[in-house]
């Protein structure tokens, strides 16, 4: 790291926002003392701040986060830094044509994570010569030897099989390091520097010893270690400057030319057409998909802006990682796959929130309403997963015009936002002019003083609610049907008003497991607002679904119009 | 598949439960018509049932599930069948010493999933010659060409780099197939048969054409296809029989000799000691860990039963996959890592529920209470994730004696069960004789008619609740503190009784994001039971944590004793 910092990393620590800067990502985030020591060596922080490490209120957290301006992304969940770095490199090469290089420090233990190979594979496939992985092969994991120990040849063989060049070095030989970093930056292909290192090198009682992972030395041990190392503390080094380069200015954004829908259409199709319109209007919007773009309809974006569409193949972790990487350098990513398969990227989404990343996710084929493909393809836990992401926004539109407006709103949102779309064509309930503020809701049926029950639905169940409400109205029972398209933040006040006006009688219907979804959100929201006297019927998917026609499965799950009507009758009985 | 079925798969379709049977796992679960055709060809199902494919009520779902007795696990989320099959093979070789062979059919598209390489890596590392991967290299994914198309050499290079042998064949040449299957079964190492295939082979209008993925032929097209194929439908083949082999009988289970705790100890430590006691008492219990066994304390099991401990290294997806594979052949797996990192395996856990698998997961280092390591290591969404798994059990003990009892109970549970443990030493609240039924709760403080507020806590917040309750009692305010150790199923009735007896006043305190955890569970449970007039204060982690001492972070999150006391006062004001 000393050789990298003093001779190869082109970085202006006074202008971390510069797009000309190189990127340094510690995929092995537990090496945070080294990261912070580099910042100290560059003069970016002082000794006093360095000594706040891991203390409450310090920017120097146990694992690096972008609370520090020189840190791109949070790391500490292993196996993420490499695919994220590949995303930064992909944006640098294909979108920005930037001179920067991406350096990723990868631990040996973390190469057991499949996501690391998703990163290697993508960089190899895309031929990203602007990324270098520095593999720290120190043989020791947290609890003992790693799987491959010091078999640097095995590491080299693996990365080469995934399309990288490999340079095997003694990771303590400064000349070999300098040469390898030079060659890696100048290479025609992505390069892995496979560095054989000794953990605790230079300190007799630490060298290659297990049992020291994550342990600090006491004062006496530290004294001895410093004496053995013979290092001069508190030195500051000059860091190479980035070139005087700026990206070509983007064309001015236009207002997206959204489609206007009148006939039944799937919200997934409206998603595709909306991101395509956004992509035509804004040059900073990019789309990624995990090899199902003909199902999620991200392919519509590809047709409009093929140079800003990125095929991630069936690798949801790297899809989210690359989205995170691209927003590091200013892009506005929309990433899509089946909602069920976003569970594969849960840890990446969790970490993206810690990275303070702004990314937009779309999950299609939600719920039992997909029909014949069966439960493996049905997202029934995605609302729970996405609600429990810090600072997230969770949207679930029921018609195409609403979808289009929500997609446009997502482009402006901070943090992790998520839109859940439906496979089937659904009727259009709203006008193209209607607005759907984040945190809002819509009254779809009822609204008068004679409403007797509130029905809260979202997405596919709104249409079941409409059928139920119309049938009930025909029988003289007025219900107030609320479309809770903004699941988080939820319009708890709007729903509370309806519930109070309907005598506390409430039906919630959702195409999701009972836990953590719309039902939990509504009930917690109401009780937190002090709404009392709630009489609830919560319709959700309670048994493992099978295959069948969408209508059969919606009925089998007990979330169909007839079930909503029955719940209303039960509340009134 | 015809060559495999008629000549290599040793399987008694009348006795699918026999441990002598080979295993056939379609990692590419979307090839379900082929799976079901094989069952038809073996005579296990008839033509009439075959024609129920994807219909409501049929066992022949869109993707295979163990609703069929010949299917080990559900597939359909790609990249899972191979690591699960490796788990079956690992159990076959190391635990059962069984003669069976595991055959896994892997799609080319799904090799983009990192989890596939976690599977290859483990089998290579463990030298599992009893598993064969049949790679169907047909060049076409759902929406067009795969990443590597027909580059069979690239596939072979990759699998060899991960310790497998590779046999590249023409996947339509029956002699080559037969020979490759023979060699694979007899090989000294795990073998991948890299089969170059043509999608739709033998039908002129389908061969190597995109746009047919997941599409059925109409009657006329089907007629033409059958004519071109010249196949004779409805034939039944003899399938080779498994050898007459039975596993050595296991020693009779004993009652686990649990430790008795009196002094403060971490629940993660009690977890490790409890699974060690279980492992000593029962020979069918196995433990897996993702390279953090000195933190989760799974290492205690390793010391007791090293032959039944499996190091999965830092690869949480394969840890869950191998656990699923091992329960296929009758073992009782406990798999552990930091709770935060179980999010990495979310899709595997979701699919395990569809597989009707019985697995036990332990997540340590939950919540902000871990302290200095920072948010990347803090599970703050795991309760939401695990509650929203179909049929799951979610446990969160607060002391060591309770942990031990819950671990023993988990061994008997069906489905996915989860125990959340704490990093810090916590006081012992319960006696070793106390019982903690699943679905129960405990009153820790109060219980009399003069309790004025109910406080529901679990795990670490129980101890904050104790401090608050004792302080409040000293000031003359009695609260009823409930330990909701069984988060799912929740003792909603017990909590409802307390809430009703305390005038509806309720505080919930949890070391978790506000969404989907204990608070949502309690409120939804109460409202579903018709409890009205709830006045709630929900204490949860609402801002992104940083590093700091555990007590500092618990206070910063507003879930400390003082916050509970303040919430009680606010409710009484």
């Amino acid at each position: 790291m000393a050789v990298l910092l003093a001779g190869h990393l082109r970085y202006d620590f006074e202008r971390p926002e510069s797009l000309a800067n190189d990127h340094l990502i510690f995929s092995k985030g537990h090496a945070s003392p080294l990261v912070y020591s580099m910042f100290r060596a560059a003069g970016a922080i002082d000794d006093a701040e360095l000594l706040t490490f891991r203390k409450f209120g310090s920017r120097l957290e146990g694992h690096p986060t972008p609370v520090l301006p020189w840190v791109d992304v949070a790391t500490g969940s292993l196996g993420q830094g490499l695919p994220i770095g590949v995303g930064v490199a992909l944006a640098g090469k294909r979108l920005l044509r930037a001179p920067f290089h991406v350096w990723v420090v990868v631990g040996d233990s973390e190469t057991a994570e499949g996501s690391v190979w998703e990163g290697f594979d993508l960089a190899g496939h895309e031929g990203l010569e602007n990324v270098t992985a520095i593999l720290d092969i120190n043989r020791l994991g947290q609890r003992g030897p790693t799987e491959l120990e010091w078999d640097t040849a095995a590491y080299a063989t693996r990365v080469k099989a995934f399309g990288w060049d490999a340079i095997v070095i003694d990771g303590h030989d400064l000349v070999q390091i300098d040469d390898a970093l030079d060659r890696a930056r100048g290479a025609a292909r992505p390069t892995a520097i496979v560095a054989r290192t000794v953990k605790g090198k230079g300190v007799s009682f630490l060298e290659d010893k297990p049992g020291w992972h994550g342990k600090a030395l006491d004062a006496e041990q530290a004294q001895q270690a410093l004496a053995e190392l013979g290092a001069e503390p508190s030195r500051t080094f000059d860091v190479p400057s980035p070139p005087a380069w700026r990206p070509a200015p983007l064309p001015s954004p236009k207002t997206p030319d959204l489609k206007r829908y009148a006939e039944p259409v799937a919200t997934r199709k409206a998603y595709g057409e909306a991101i395509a319109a956004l992509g035509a209007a804004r040059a900073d919007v990019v789309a990624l998909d995990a090899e199902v773009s003909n199902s999620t309809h991200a392919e519509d974006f590809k047709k409009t802006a093929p140079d800003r569409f990125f095929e991630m193949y069936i690798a949801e972790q790297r899809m989210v990682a690359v989205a995170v990487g691209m927003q590091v350098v200013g892009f506005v990513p929309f990433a899509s796959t089946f909602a069920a398969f976003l569970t594969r990227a849960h840890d990446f989404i969790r970490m993206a929130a810690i990275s303070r990343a702004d990314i937009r996710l779309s999950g299609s084929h939600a719920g039992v309403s997909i029909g014949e493909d069966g439960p493996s393809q049905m997202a029934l836990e995605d609302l729970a997963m996405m609600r429990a992401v810090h600072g997230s926004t969770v949207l679930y539109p029921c018609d195409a015009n609403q979808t289009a407006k929500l997609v446009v709103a997502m482009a402006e949102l901070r943090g992790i936002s998520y839109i859940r779309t439906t496979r089937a064509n659904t009727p259009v309930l709203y006008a193209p002019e209607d607005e759907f503020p984040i945190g809002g809701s819509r009254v779809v049926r009822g609204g008068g003083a004679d409403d007797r029950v509130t029905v809260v639905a979202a997405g596919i169940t709104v249409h079941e609610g409409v059928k139920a409400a119309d049938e009930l109205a025909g029988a003289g029972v007025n219900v107030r049907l609320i479309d809770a398209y903004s699941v988080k933040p939820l319009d708890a006040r709007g729903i509370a008003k309806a519930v109070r006006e309907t005598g506390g009688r409430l039906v919630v219907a959702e195409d999701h497991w009972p836990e953590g979804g719309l039902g939990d959100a509504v009930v917690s929201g109401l009780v937190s607002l002090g709404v009392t006297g709630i009489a609830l019927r919560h319709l959700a998917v309670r048994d493992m679904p099978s295959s069948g026609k969408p209508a059969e499965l919606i009925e089998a799950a007990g979330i169909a119009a007839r079930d909503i009507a029955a719940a209303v009758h039960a509340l009134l009985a």
Side-chain angles (χ1 to χ4, degrees), chain A:
Chain A
M1 288 303 101
V3 177
L4 179 73
L5 187 73
H8 299 269
L9 181 75
R10 299 179 188 162
Y11 197 94
D12 184 348
F13 277 87
E14 312 239 303
R15 296 186 56 233
E17 73 288 357
S18 167
L19 287 172
N21 283 334
D22 278 2
H23 293 266
L24 172 64
I25 296 174
F26 266 68
S27 194
K28 51 177 297 183
H30 53 284
S32 55
L34 177 53
V35 180
Y36 304 147
S37 299
M38 292 173 77
F39 297 163
R40 168 62 193 83
I45 61 172
D46 59 20
D47 284 352
E49 182 164 13
L50 193 57
L51 293 172
T52 66
F53 179 49
R54 288 164 61 96
K55 289 188 179 154
F56 186 70
S58 170
R59 299 189 293 178
L60 310 188
E61 299 184 15
H63 294 76
T65 75
V67 167
L68 287 163
W70 319 286
V71 173
D72 285 337
V73 290
T75 51
S77 179
L78 291 168
Q80 303 206 9
L82 184 74
I84 292 171
V86 169
V88 176
L90 188 60
K93 176 163 179 173
R94 300 250 184 269
L95 296 170
L96 293 168
R97 289 165 186 82
F100 67 66
H101 200 84
V102 180
W103 309 92
V104 184
V105 182
V106 179
D108 46 3
S109 279
E110 70 176 314
T111 62
E113 290 283 9
S115 56
V116 167
W117 300 99
E118 296 181 13
F120 278 123
D121 174 64
L122 180 64
H125 184 68
E126 294 275 353
L128 301 179
E129 76 286 349
N130 58 339
V131 60
T132 297
I134 301 169
L135 272 62
D136 181 19
I137 311 300
N138 67 21
R139 196 190 72 83
L140 288 175
Q142 163 175 329
R143 50 122 290 287
T146 61
E147 207 172 344
L148 295 173
E149 302 212 23
W150 271 324
D151 189 352
T152 49
Y155 287 101
T157 302
R158 290 185 181 190
V159 300
K160 283 186 201 165
F162 281 75
W164 288 50
D165 285 335
I167 305 174
V168 178
I169 62 167
D170 171 352
H172 299 290
D173 181 318
L174 303 188
V175 174
Q176 285 189 35
I177 296 167
D178 194 50
D179 175 62
L181 293 169
D182 247 351
R183 285 166 59 197
R185 180 159 210 140
R189 291 206 295 175
T191 301
I193 299 174
V194 181
R196 181 188 155 120
T197 58
V198 178
K199 209 167 178 173
K201 173 77 174 176
V203 179
S204 54
F205 59 96
L206 297 177
E207 266 194 17
D208 195 31
K209 297 271 196 311
W212 284 101
H213 187 98
K215 290 205 181 126
L217 305 187
D218 65 26
E220 194 180 331
Q221 290 165 332
Q223 208 63 40
Q224 189 188 334
L226 285 171
E228 289 191 28
L229 288 166
E232 188 185 327
S234 302
R235 281 181 60 192
T236 304
F237 299 80
D238 284 335
V239 179
S241 295
W245 172 89
R246 282 187 191 179
L250 294 180
S252 302
K254 288 174 276 186
T255 302
D257 184 19
L258 297 177
K259 282 214 174 185
R260 302 166 63 87
Y261 300 96
E263 295 303 312
V265 60
T267 52
R268 62 183 169 125
K269 179 64 179 162
Y271 167 78
E273 293 177 338
I275 58 167
L278 257 184
R282 291 179 56 159
D284 57 351
V285 172
V286 296
L288 305 93
D289 193 87
E291 226 267 73
V292 287
S293 58
N294 54 340
S295 292
T296 60
H297 287 286
E299 65 179 9
D300 293 325
F301 184 99
K302 186 179 182 181
K303 287 171 197 155
T304 305
D307 52 324
R308 282 181 277 129
F309 176 85
F310 296 91
E311 179 59 72
M312 293 293 108
Y313 299 96
I314 303 180
E316 298 79 9
Q317 298 187 89
R318 82 174 166 203
M319 180 177 75
V320 173
V322 169
V324 169
M326 288 187 163
Q327 63 87 44
V328 164
V329 288
F331 291 94
V332 177
F334 283 78
S336 50
T337 185
F338 282 32
F341 305 144
L342 284 173
T343 55
R344 189 69 70 105
H346 189 171
D347 195 22
F348 282 76
I349 298 167
R350 176 183 82 88
M351 288 297 297
I354 303 175
S355 289
R356 283 70 169 170
D358 303 323
I359 60 168
R360 294 132 202 100
L361 303 173
S362 169
S364 69
H365 294 67
V368 301
S369 76
I370 68 163
E372 285 84 353
D373 277 344
S376 65
Q377 320 291 301
M378 297 170 178
L380 291 164
E381 56 290 296
D382 57 317
L383 295 178
M385 173 176 78
M386 294 306 309
R387 281 181 68 230
V389 170
H390 181 65
S392 65
T393 303
V394 180
L395 306 170
Y396 185 16
C398 68
D399 94 342
N401 289 316
Q402 188 180 49
T403 304
K405 287 290 174 69
L406 293 175
V407 167
V408 171
M410 286 171 82
E412 305 299 333
L413 289 175
R414 303 301 308 265
I416 316 297
S417 55
Y418 172 59
I419 188 164
R420 183 187 219 219
T421 68
T422 299
R423 178 174 182 272
N425 289 343
T426 42
V428 169
L429 298 181
Y430 299 113
E433 294 74 24
D434 285 355
E435 295 296 336
F436 302 95
I438 304 297
S441 68
R442 293 285 293 222
V443 175
V444 178
R445 287 292 185 274
D450 56 350
D451 293 344
R452 300 179 64 194
V453 177
T454 296
V455 176
V456 178
I460 192 79
T461 57
V462 170
H463 302 284
E464 299 298 323
V466 166
K467 281 182 268 181
D470 290 349
E471 179 201 305
L472 288 161
V477 178
N478 286 342
V479 303
R480 189 171 307 174
L481 173 63
I482 294 181
D483 169 11
Y485 62 85
S486 180
V487 176
K488 182 187 172 188
L490 183 79
D491 182 16
R493 288 182 192 284
I495 296 169
K497 178 172 178 288
V499 171
R500 286 185 174 119
E501 290 175 2
T502 57
R505 288 180 289 274
L506 170 65
V507 178
V508 181
E510 60 180 321
D511 195 357
H512 189 276
W513 299 128
E515 299 87 5
L518 182 64
D520 273 10
V522 167
V523 172
S524 290
L526 293 175
V527 172
S528 291
L529 284 177
V531 179
T532 59
I534 303 165
L536 172 72
R537 290 292 181 282
H538 182 197
L539 311 182
V541 182
R542 291 174 194 274
D543 296 316
M544 182 60 73
S546 61
S547 291
K549 293 199 179 77
E552 289 171 333
L553 296 178
I554 289 171
E555 291 191 3
I559 58 171
R562 68 174 190 197
D563 305 295
I564 295 170
V568 167
H569 284 303
L571 286 171
L572 291 171

